[in-house]
Amino acid sequence: MVSGALPQDENGVYFVLTSADVTASSGFCTQYCGWHTYSTMSVSNTSKVIKYSFVGNPDRCPSACEAQTISPNGNAGADGMASIIAHELEEAATDPQLNAWYDRRGYENADKCAWTFGLTFQLPNGSYANMNLGGLNFLIQRNWVNASGGYCALSY
Ligand SMILES: [Zn+2]
């Protein structure tokens, strides 16, 4: 895009990802590792509902937001963010305006399986993974499957 502006895509989810030397004073590391929400924007006299998410670099607070400090791809911050991005994207898809899918306790789908990984395998560097995507290993938290009484899984 020549202007450098992002498109205003109502079907997209925009992620703000930070480096480990950046915090968010609203509670990154103490209240959350990531979150998603939405905002109504006026674009050329048209109202658009834009979904977005914040995911901080968990190298800033490994004990709070990183599942492991040695990671499959040798970058614990980025590998840790991949798992949190998956969590927030799943929730943004099923509860984009915070009024759709959540349970009686207020948990969104990924919240119900947060920080659970299912069957893992150990890699030569000592880290753990539970999936291989495009030739790279990742440890990605599971998501809720709302069938058969409900359970956490990596696929359905
Ligand atoms: Zn969540």
Side-chain angles (χ1 to χ4, degrees), residues 50 97 103 105 139-140:
I50 302 299
Q97 296 184 64
D103 72 9
R105 293 181 298 175
L139 184 66
I140 303 292

Side-chain angles (χ1 to χ4, degrees), residues 44-64:
S44 307
N45 290 325
T46 306
S47 214
K48 291 198 171 186
V49 179
I50 302 299
K51 294 81 181 177
Y52 60 97
S53 170
F54 169 87
V55 176
N57 188 313
D59 271 350
R60 191 169 183 86
C61 49
S63 62

Side-chain angles (χ1 to χ4, degrees), residues 36 87-88 91 108 110-111:
H36 73 96
H87 176 121
E88 299 304 332
E91 293 178 346
E108 295 177 308
D111 294 330

Side-chain angles (χ1 to χ4, degrees), residues 4-23:
L6 294 169
Q8 293 91 25
D9 185 351
E10 290 187 290
N11 295 316
V13 180
Y14 295 87
F15 277 83
V16 175
L17 309 174
T18 61
S19 62
D21 60 351
V22 173
T23 193

Side-chain angles (χ1 to χ4, degrees), residues 8 10 17 23 30 43 52 56 68 74-75 80 84 87 89 96 104 109 112 115 124 127-128 135 148:
Q8 293 91 25
E10 290 187 290
L17 309 174
T23 193
T30 57
V43 181
Y52 60 97
Q68 55 188 351
N75 184 334
I84 300 164
H87 176 121
L89 182 59
R104 66 180 180 275
N109 57 357
K112 295 174 75 67
W115 305 105
S127 69
Y128 290 86
S148 308

